[in-house]
Amino acid sequence: PLIARANAGLKPHVGHPNYSHHVGVSIPFQNPDQNGFPQSDEAAELMNIEDRICAELEIGNQSLFAAVITTNGMREFVFYTSNPEAVQTKLEKLKGEIRSHSVQVIIKHDANWNTYREFV
């Protein structure tokens, strides 16, 4: 099973040349249920993590929050960014501050916004 939440408001910006890098921030669950989803206590922690990541990455519209994908024991927050180097630095700092969960990051060129297009 998979649950996706996508920011449909970004449709007019798909493929914008200033936001050509996909940022995936994955958080593996500590104790997923039988379907691979978080239990209620962990879901609250994940919402706090989401808020922290968004607050940091969206400053000055440096990154656009595109989607959240929950499946198979993990949640991935998807952004598109204009400054992958700055995002990497910010996420390395957050990795050290978020103690409740492991934070995994992937940044790749995705000028066509292929990940976003899969869900919108």
Side-chain angles (χ1 to χ4, degrees), residues 12-62:
H13 307 288
V14 169
H16 192 289
N18 289 348
Y19 297 94
S20 61
H21 285 81
H22 163 113
V23 178
V25 182
S26 298
I27 311 291
F29 302 147
Q30 296 170 337
N31 188 24
D33 67 15
Q34 67 276 10
N35 294 312
F37 295 124
Q39 310 251 359
S40 60
D41 56 335
E42 189 171 17
E45 292 176 8
L46 292 166
M47 290 302 296
N48 288 332
I49 291 170
E50 178 178 334
D51 290 345
R52 291 182 72 186
I53 293 169
C54 287
E56 193 63 39
L57 298 189
E58 292 181 309
I59 294 171
N61 290 323
Q62 184 176 69

Side-chain angles (χ1 to χ4, degrees), residues 2-115:
L2 178 141
I3 297 174
R5 177 172 29 113
N7 182 353
L10 289 181
K11 281 183 183 180
H13 307 288
V14 169
H16 192 289
N18 289 348
Y19 297 94
S20 61
H21 285 81
H22 163 113
V23 178
V25 182
S26 298
I27 311 291
F29 302 147
Q30 296 170 337
N31 188 24
D33 67 15
Q34 67 276 10
N35 294 312
F37 295 124
Q39 310 251 359
S40 60
D41 56 335
E42 189 171 17
E45 292 176 8
L46 292 166
M47 290 302 296
N48 288 332
I49 291 170
E50 178 178 334
D51 290 345
R52 291 182 72 186
I53 293 169
C54 287
E56 193 63 39
L57 298 189
E58 292 181 309
I59 294 171
N61 290 323
Q62 184 176 69
S63 299
L64 306 174
F65 191 23
V68 178
I69 304 161
T70 304
T71 189
N72 199 28
M74 57 76 67
R75 180 166 291 168
E76 181 175 355
F77 304 103
V78 178
F79 295 83
Y80 285 88
T81 189
S82 62
N83 191 337
E85 295 81 15
V87 165
Q88 182 69 44
T89 299
K90 289 177 180 185
L91 290 172
E92 287 302 319
K93 179 178 178 264
L94 279 173
K95 279 177 153 184
E97 295 173 358
I98 297 172
R99 305 221 187 279
S100 62
H101 288 79
S102 170
V103 178
Q104 302 167 0
V105 176
I106 184 168
I107 300 174
K108 63 183 179 181
H109 190 259
D110 182 11
N112 293 320
W113 290 39
N114 292 324
T115 301

